[in-house]
Amino acid sequence: MPQIKTTLDAEQEAFEKEVVEIKAWWDSSDKQRQLKRPYPAERIAALRSSVKQKYASSDMALKLWNQMIEHEKNGTCDLTFGCTDPLQAGVMAKYQQTVYVSGALCGYSEVSQPGMDHADYPWDTVPSVVNKIFRSQQWQDQRQRQFRFLYPKEEREGLDNWDFLTPIVADGDMGFGGLTHTMKMTRAFVEAGVAMFHLDDLAIGAKKFTTGEGRTVIPTSEYLSRLTAARTQIDVMGAETILLCRCDTDHSSYITSIVDSRDHTWVLGATKPVEALTTVLNRALANGEDIAATQKAWLESAELKTFDDAVASIASAASEELKAYQTAVAEGTTSTSCPSISERRALAKKHLPESISSELFFDWDLPRTPEGSYRWAPDVKAVISRALLVASLGEATWARMDYPIPSDIEAFHLAIRAVHPTRKFGFGYTGGYDWLKAGWTPEQVKNFPWDAAKKYGMVWHVQPIWALQGQRRGTEEFSRLWQRGGIAAYMDKVQGPELGLTYPDLDIRDYRALDSDVKDAGYARFKFSGAYLADALLETATMGIYGAERGLKMGDGVVKGPKANRYG
Ligand SMILES: C[C@](O)(C(=O)O)[C@H](CC(=O)O)C(=O)O
């Protein structure tokens, strides 16, 4: 193999030139300047290959960035929805400025083994759907252009001229593995032409949006490395691809590790000296006892609390000393850091009378799950502190809320905007949200997208799983139409409007009386989505431990749905 023909001087000079170019790029726009990399330009230059490429992803990202800036200026927003189908994407281009490629939808319809939204499909699944859609957008653009040039300039006015190159936003979930998976996925997204993708803080292999189990997140430090891995890869490629920092901490139930003290405020511990939960569950399993009942009884006996609540519950009689402890914790807490549990133990010892502090029992290992995760109860402050910490690694933020609680939405966005006044936010309308039940008035629901755009800079809104509900309904309507009216109904209802024709002789109207079918209400979200099946499979694999907390029970081969799902 021939050696590269260069001299050491020439090699060094080219490297230094590249470093200068990278620095200039990082300083070339507001978009770039807001990013704070934890690595120097030299590191990126050394990580690059010598083949320089230009990616369409950069053009699409800048287009989206400008759209978002305009929305932010005008207090408006883009409203899009999830799509995996190129034909749909072509239609969407007429009405919205972005197309969203949803991981959940890909998991249902783009893989050889469909399933619930567990992000358990190969890491390149979503990038390859982005690739398919981006190519189809280019083809739509090409065929429209070719059609326009069939006409001379003076006759082109009024011909279709849609902007089919709608920026694609994609679901990167939790990066599908370790940091190198995240980098490979990022690279695949950039190569596929994505404009923006989101990465969240969910634990790998533990995304469980079924009916039976809470979500597991990773520690703050791991979330930071995950987003840094994606940013590194984007920089190595010299791309403008936008990174949307999504945070799923809101109402999550478990955290894989307590290595990062920034998470400690919300971690739950047993406040009674009980046996470890796993010991109790294993014994119950061996004895064939009811797992759900065993777990429930254990949780009651352990009296789980956060450390600060544990202190407050034993020190209520010593209100001055308790206050001193709480003030000391508050003084050691900033928006991005807080005292660790060992430091809090020391503060409790310092401020509480010996007779009280010696009573304090807090053990966060006892309630660990069979997979080793810790239990925690994060509030909106936890989401805010994570989002603030990672903000400078990406250009936009999305707090994925488990439920649209008005005060949480307000607190989150105002807190981030207070630090980053021009921050752009995304928001997802999960299909199961019941806005009225969450405390919104009908008027507020009607105005939400535009009000939130004005108030918070929420410029990108997505209904990710429309296809699961809306497309099913559309297909259902057509299936029934077709059965009742055959080709005449097709001509009247589908082909006619498509070709601009009416067929007055086809006087068949009875097929239009499509009675509304509410028999299957709730079907799409929990049955068609496979949530019950997923629960049953996980429950079987964990010998009944999975879902026990939410009241799922293994019985007669039939898994009964919980009375209340995660939407309350
Ligand atoms: C956006 C999402 O990641 C998706 O896969 O589309 C899901 C959608 C949903 O559960 O409604 C999510 O929000 O996690």
Side-chain angles (χ1 to χ4, degrees):
M1 195 193 299
Q3 297 274 324
I4 295 175
K5 286 200 180 67
T6 186
T7 61
L8 288 176
D9 284 346
E11 183 190 47
Q12 185 62 22
E13 202 181 305
F15 177 78
E16 280 163 19
K17 184 167 168 275
E18 181 137 15
V19 171
V20 170
E21 280 165 11
I22 293 170
K23 286 184 180 163
W25 172 44
W26 288 354
D27 195 31
S28 65
S29 63
D30 288 345
K31 175 178 178 297
Q32 285 298 327
R33 273 190 297 272
Q34 71 177 326
L35 300 171
K36 304 275 175 283
R37 284 96 172 163
Y39 43 76
E42 286 76 2
R43 173 60 65 107
I44 295 301
L47 286 169
R48 285 182 170 177
S49 106
S50 33
V51 179
K52 299 286 164 288
Q53 305 210 37
K54 188 180 171 309
Y55 298 96
S57 172
S58 294
D59 302 307
M60 303 313 289
L62 291 175
K63 184 171 179 177
L64 171 58
W65 184 246
N66 290 332
Q67 288 167 0
M68 294 203 286
I69 289 181
E70 273 306 294
H71 283 308
E72 202 215 323
K73 253 198 268 160
N74 304 330
T76 52
C77 60
D78 181 36
L79 276 163
T80 190
F81 54 90
C83 159
T84 52
D85 179 77
L87 296 176
Q88 262 170 26
V91 179
M92 287 169 79
K94 296 185 181 174
Y95 301 97
Q96 47 251 323
Q97 293 174 320
T98 57
V99 164
Y100 179 64
V101 179
S102 146
L105 293 185
C106 288
Y108 292 126
S109 62
E110 296 291 324
V111 287
S112 60
Q113 297 199 34
M116 182 73 193
D117 185 13
H118 286 171
D120 54 2
Y121 39 81
W123 62 264
D124 58 349
T125 301
V126 180
S128 57
V129 175
V130 171
N131 181 45
K132 176 175 78 173
I133 292 184
F134 187 50
R135 283 170 191 269
S136 83
Q137 290 178 326
Q138 291 171 75
W139 175 79
Q140 295 272 16
D141 178 69
Q142 178 191 16
R143 60 126 193 99
Q144 174 177 265
R145 194 176 137 89
Q146 183 266 339
F147 185 82
R148 288 178 65 81
F149 284 108
L150 290 176
Y151 294 85
K153 183 179 166 204
E154 51 289 358
E155 287 175 36
R156 253 178 263 147
E157 186 73 49
L159 290 182
D160 273 2
N161 203 9
W162 300 107
D163 183 356
F164 285 109
L165 295 168
T166 316
I168 300 173
V169 180
D171 187 350
D173 273 288
M174 80 314 288
F176 291 89
L179 299 181
T180 59
H181 292 86
T182 301
M183 287 180 172
K184 286 183 181 175
M185 184 195 67
T186 301
R187 178 176 174 159
F189 271 138
V190 175
E191 287 174 344
V194 84
M196 169 164 90
F197 67 98
H198 57 83
L199 271 185
D200 59 46
D201 56 351
L202 288 171
I204 296 145
K207 182 168 188 181
K208 289 178 193 144
F209 281 180
T210 62
T211 56
E213 195 61 89
R215 273 164 303 127
T216 309
V217 298
I218 50 172
T220 297
S221 49
E222 195 179 340
Y223 182 37
L224 273 163
S225 331
R226 188 178 279 175
L227 290 169
T228 306
R231 177 53 59 197
T232 305
Q233 183 60 42
I234 295 170
D235 281 344
V236 166
M237 298 175 88
E240 288 284 354
T241 314
I242 300 171
L243 182 57
L244 170 57
C245 308
R246 169 169 142 163
C247 183
D248 276 50
T249 288
D250 180 69
H251 285 92
S252 53
S253 308
Y254 309 100
I255 181 163
T256 53
S257 150
I258 37 91
V259 70
D260 194 324
S261 62
R262 288 168 290 199
D263 299 319
H264 288 187
T265 307
W266 302 278
V267 179
L268 298 171
T271 59
K272 297 288 168 213
V274 290
E275 276 185 291
L277 172 63
T278 46
T279 311
V280 174
L281 287 178
N282 285 339
R283 197 167 49 233
L285 274 177
N287 297 339
E289 287 159 16
D290 182 331
I291 293 294
T294 307
Q295 174 140 299
K296 193 162 171 267
W298 186 90
L299 287 169
E300 276 161 17
S301 68
E303 293 187 26
L304 299 189
K305 291 190 174 62
T306 62
F307 188 84
D308 289 352
D309 285 350
V311 171
S313 69
I314 57 158
S316 53
S319 58
E320 282 311 307
E321 289 90 338
L322 174 61
K323 223 180 188 166
Y325 166 80
Q326 287 166 336
T327 309
V329 172
E331 279 168 358
T333 305
T334 67
S335 59
T336 52
S337 72
C338 65
S340 66
I341 293 300
S342 330
E343 286 161 343
R344 283 174 210 233
R345 277 193 199 282
L347 289 173
K349 208 160 174 209
K350 179 170 165 199
H351 293 287
L352 300 181
E354 163 70 26
S355 59
I356 294 186
S357 68
S358 59
E359 263 178 51
L360 180 65
F361 184 86
F362 177 86
D363 189 327
W364 53 16
D365 282 315
L366 296 177
R368 287 173 77 178
T369 66
E371 294 87 23
S373 292
Y374 294 78
R375 282 160 206 270
W376 81 328
D379 56 20
V380 71
K381 287 195 195 124
V383 192
I384 293 169
S385 86
R386 284 192 169 207
L388 281 177
L389 266 169
V390 303
S392 55
L393 290 169
E395 293 92 332
T397 295
W398 170 9
R400 202 270 187 205
M401 303 245 163
D402 217 29
Y403 204 58
I405 298 171
S407 53
D408 283 356
I409 291 180
E410 168 110 348
F412 176 79
H413 292 93
L414 294 185
I416 308 298
R417 291 280 271 192
V419 183
H420 302 279
T422 58
R423 193 72 185 167
K424 280 113 194 108
F425 291 96
F427 189 82
Y429 298 87
T430 283
Y433 283 179
D434 182 341
W435 288 71
L436 299 178
K437 207 168 160 191
W440 300 78
T441 66
E443 206 50 29
Q444 286 172 324
V445 177
K446 275 189 223 154
N447 298 329
F448 179 80
W450 303 279
D451 281 353
K454 287 191 194 74
K455 218 165 155 190
Y456 311 131
M458 206 187 261
V459 290
W460 182 76
H461 297 232
V462 63
Q463 194 333 307
I465 52 161
W466 164 80
L468 195 60
Q469 297 175 328
Q471 192 178 307
R472 270 194 67 256
R473 295 222 80 79
T475 307
E476 179 150 343
E477 262 180 37
F478 178 66
S479 300
R480 290 155 70 208
L481 172 90
W482 182 234
Q483 294 313 308
R484 289 184 195 193
I487 186 62
Y490 183 84
M491 287 166 72
D492 188 57
K493 194 97 172 169
V494 180
Q495 184 203 60
E498 192 67 10
L499 302 181
L501 300 171
T502 45
Y503 301 103
D505 298 340
L506 290 174
D507 195 16
I508 302 171
R509 292 288 176 269
D510 58 333
Y511 59 78
R512 289 194 179 153
L514 292 174
D515 46 352
S516 78
D517 180 2
V518 290
K519 279 194 302 291
D520 64 351
Y523 181 73
R525 181 65 202 161
F526 290 114
K527 290 187 229 152
F528 190 76
S529 74
Y532 288 108
L533 170 64
D535 277 341
L537 292 170
L538 289 168
E539 195 197 42
T540 309
T542 62
M543 294 166 289
I545 291 174
Y546 172 83
E549 229 161 279
R550 305 260 169 138
L552 288 186
K553 272 197 176 162
M554 184 122 75
D556 307 332
V558 178
V559 177
K560 306 219 168 41
K563 289 200 177 59
N565 57 46
R566 69 191 168 96
Y567 303 111

